[in-house]
Amino acid sequence: MSPAATVHAFVPASRRPPAPGHGRAPRAGDRLLRSLRYAAPALTAYLAVRLCGLLFLARLAHIKGQGVWTTLATSWDSDWYLGIADHGYADSLGTEVNANNLAFFPLYPMLVKAVAAVTPGSRASVGLLLAVLCSFVAAWGVFAVGDRLHGRRVGTLLTVLWGVLPVAIVQWMGYTESLFTALTAWALYAVLTGHWLWAGALASLAGLTRPTGVAVAAAVTVAAALAARRERPGRRAPVLTAGLIAPLGWLAFVAWVGLRVGRVDGYFAVQRLWKNEWDGGRATLLELRQQLVYATEPQLFPLTVSAVLVISAVLYVLGWTDRQPLPLLVFTGVLLLVVLGSAGVYFPRARFLLPGFPLLLPLALALARARRPATVLVTLASATLLSSWSGAYMLLVWQGPP
């Protein structure tokens, strides 16, 4: 049986397209609307938990006399992306630390610039709106992956869990995490459903969005290489093409930065100026030891980040024991290697893992198997409150980057 036939065999009969000769196949728009209606409960639940986070943030911002829009649209990395949209990239390496915008990948600021050119409002408003819209596309993709693997209930729970992560407020900021997660989720879904060219194209776009796009490229390329071995020679072309184009976005930007600054390792030289080099995890382990063992007056947000890193590693092991599909394991494995294995600023690392939604599958499965609905409701309600409070604290109390 070919991979495509195997995939088709696992699709419930009620959700398969009509077989040839059994009525006209639905048009693309009809299929899209039907898929959206099917995902509506998950997206509604996602909207509810994120609105809770936004309302909590607005209340604390009012108490502190700060603006919600400014906090979400123009703080920290948002300023860097808006600067790129306004003025473009630096044309040299320089020597100043934490000052070269070539460290930031181009797809999100390019979209902000393009959309702002044909719509009213500031680029900051456009950037924030794009991030929010992408968060729903991402939530839809997260649901699609969970539903594909384990059914609608698990897909919905996976979506809500992604929306109540401790740093989930970033999903509604002028950051790249929502765009990147959307591209990642749908690229993985395309792999799971055998839509190889879509998988390769989405992975390539993910590679233009964040440095961790290399993890998406690795997942698609590995899956394509294995699938090509099983396909008949006449049907290998789309699979092999997907594997080849998946890393092109990431490689193209790295190569362009090298040309821009006049040295082969230009992108990595820029990262060194940001004190962000891969050291195999030494800096992460030292910081974890400091935060969890030696800190005499531990601060809340660094402890939260440390907990997220440790729990993420444990969930990855559980993913292996649950025999998750290889593309998901490759993606989360490379993502963890990049995030945990790099030196640099410690505090944003929980945010860097935000796109790693497959890590939440063991939790979604455990909740789906809970015998008492009250257990699920209490767990999700508690997680929503914790996420709301954590996000507000991170943006309005903590003095460092989210």
Side-chain angles (χ1 to χ4, degrees):
M1 183 180 290
S2 71
T6 302
V7 166
H8 184 76
F10 283 96
V11 181
S14 62
R15 294 166 55 199
R16 295 178 189 167
H22 291 276
R24 187 177 63 183
R27 291 172 296 181
D30 294 335
R31 292 197 300 269
L32 185 67
L33 288 175
R34 188 166 58 190
S35 176
L36 183 57
R37 286 196 297 267
Y38 184 74
L43 297 179
T44 302
Y46 172 76
L47 173 62
V49 297
R50 291 306 335 129
L51 282 177
C52 287
L54 182 61
L55 290 173
F56 199 100
L57 176 69
R59 178 58 181 165
L60 185 58
H62 177 73
I63 293 172
K64 294 180 67 64
Q66 298 185 29
V68 174
W69 183 90
T70 303
T71 301
L72 296 177
T74 62
S75 62
W76 297 103
D77 285 7
S78 300
D79 261 346
W80 285 100
Y81 291 117
L82 292 173
I84 293 169
D86 286 336
H87 309 296
Y89 280 102
D91 57 6
S92 61
L93 182 60
T95 58
E96 190 176 352
V97 175
N98 297 341
N100 195 314
N101 65 6
L102 288 166
F104 297 87
F105 278 58
L107 184 59
Y108 176 69
M110 287 171 58
L111 287 174
V112 171
K113 183 175 183 178
V115 175
V118 295
T119 57
S122 67
R123 284 178 175 170
S125 298
V126 168
L128 183 57
L129 179 61
L130 278 175
V132 173
L133 291 175
C134 286
S135 76
F136 284 96
V137 178
W140 189 1
V142 170
F143 167 79
V145 171
D147 173 59
R148 183 75 193 179
L149 296 176
H150 301 290
R152 193 180 193 183
R153 179 177 173 83
V154 172
T156 301
L157 290 169
L158 183 65
T159 306
V160 175
L161 287 172
W162 183 69
V164 298
L165 288 170
V167 294
I169 189 65
V170 174
Q171 296 165 7
W172 284 12
M173 292 181 67
Y175 274 50
T176 59
E177 272 71 20
S178 289
L179 173 61
F180 182 70
T181 306
L183 294 168
T184 298
W186 287 108
L188 293 175
Y189 180 78
V191 170
L192 294 174
T193 54
H195 292 83
W196 290 104
L197 294 180
W198 275 109
L202 291 169
S204 188
L205 289 173
L208 286 170
T209 308
R210 290 197 58 79
T212 44
V214 68
V216 191
V220 174
T221 299
V222 168
L226 295 175
R229 296 175 59 186
R230 300 191 298 267
E231 281 285 10
R232 295 192 299 271
R235 301 182 62 180
R236 288 177 183 167
V239 183
L240 292 174
T241 301
L244 291 173
I245 65 176
L248 289 185
W250 189 88
L251 291 173
F253 181 68
V254 170
W256 180 82
V257 173
L259 291 173
R260 184 85 167 175
V261 303
R263 50 188 290 180
V264 175
D265 67 337
Y267 172 76
F268 303 99
V270 171
Q271 290 294 341
R272 285 193 291 273
L273 287 176
W274 283 84
K275 300 180 181 178
N276 189 21
E277 297 181 81
W278 201 83
D279 65 354
R282 181 176 180 274
T284 302
L285 290 174
L286 290 174
E287 189 65 36
L288 279 172
R289 185 179 66 174
Q290 174 63 30
Q291 295 295 333
L292 300 178
V293 179
Y294 292 115
T296 56
E297 296 182 2
Q299 294 179 288
L300 181 61
F301 185 61
L303 283 178
T304 301
V305 173
S306 299
V308 168
L309 299 185
V310 173
I311 293 171
S312 296
V314 172
L315 289 175
Y316 183 70
V317 175
L318 292 177
W320 273 100
T321 60
D322 284 344
R323 298 184 178 181
Q324 284 183 16
L326 185 61
L328 273 61
L329 292 172
V330 171
F331 165 65
T332 50
V334 176
L335 180 67
L336 285 168
L337 278 176
V338 173
V339 174
L340 300 183
S342 298
V345 182
Y346 182 73
F347 313 117
R349 298 190 190 202
R351 170 169 64 86
F352 296 162
L353 289 177
L354 192 62
F357 69 92
L359 294 170
L360 300 170
L361 270 170
L363 297 178
L365 285 167
L367 287 175
R369 294 165 184 158
R371 295 183 178 181
R372 297 180 178 179
T375 302
V376 179
L377 291 175
V378 170
T379 300
L380 295 181
S382 301
T384 301
L385 291 174
L386 179 61
S387 174
S388 301
W389 181 83
S390 174
Y393 180 91
M394 177 179 67
L395 296 183
L396 299 176
V397 179
W398 171 250
Q399 298 300 310

